[in-house]
């Protein structure tokens, strides 16, 4: 099956795995940006975090082979 991950007989959508990985990467990036003090230059941090999440998810989706149907 393309786009699914088999974990002991349970098929998990690959997009779910990518979304969890994206959340972890986005959290690390946001923590790094906060420590560097770059959030003071951002007008709307929640909107910026959403955009960051979408960009990282798109990058992971593009870099993951075998997801094209």
């Amino acid at each position: 099956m393309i786009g699914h991950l088999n974990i002991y007989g349970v098929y998990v959508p690959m997009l779910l795995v990518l979304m969890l990985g994206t959340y972890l990467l986005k959290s690390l990036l946001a923590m790094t940006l906060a420590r560097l003090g770059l959030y003071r230059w951002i007008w709307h941090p929640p909107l910026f975090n959403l955009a960051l999440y979408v960009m990282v998810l798109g990058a992971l989706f593009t870099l993951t082979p075998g997801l094209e149907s």
Side-chain angles (χ1 to χ4, degrees), residues 35-61:
R35 284 191 178 177
L36 292 175
L38 296 177
Y39 269 99
R40 63 182 172 186
W41 299 103
I42 297 173
W43 171 68
H44 201 282
L47 188 61
F48 177 79
N49 286 336
L50 176 65
L52 186 63
Y53 180 83
V54 171
M55 288 189 301
V56 172
L57 180 61
L60 284 180
F61 188 82

Side-chain angles (χ1 to χ4, degrees), residues 7 11-12 14 16 27 33 38 41 44 48-49 53 56 64:
I7 301 175
Y11 289 101
V12 178
M14 194 62 180
L16 177 64
S27 296
L33 291 174
L38 296 177
W41 299 103
H44 201 282
F48 177 79
N49 286 336
Y53 180 83
V56 172
T64 305

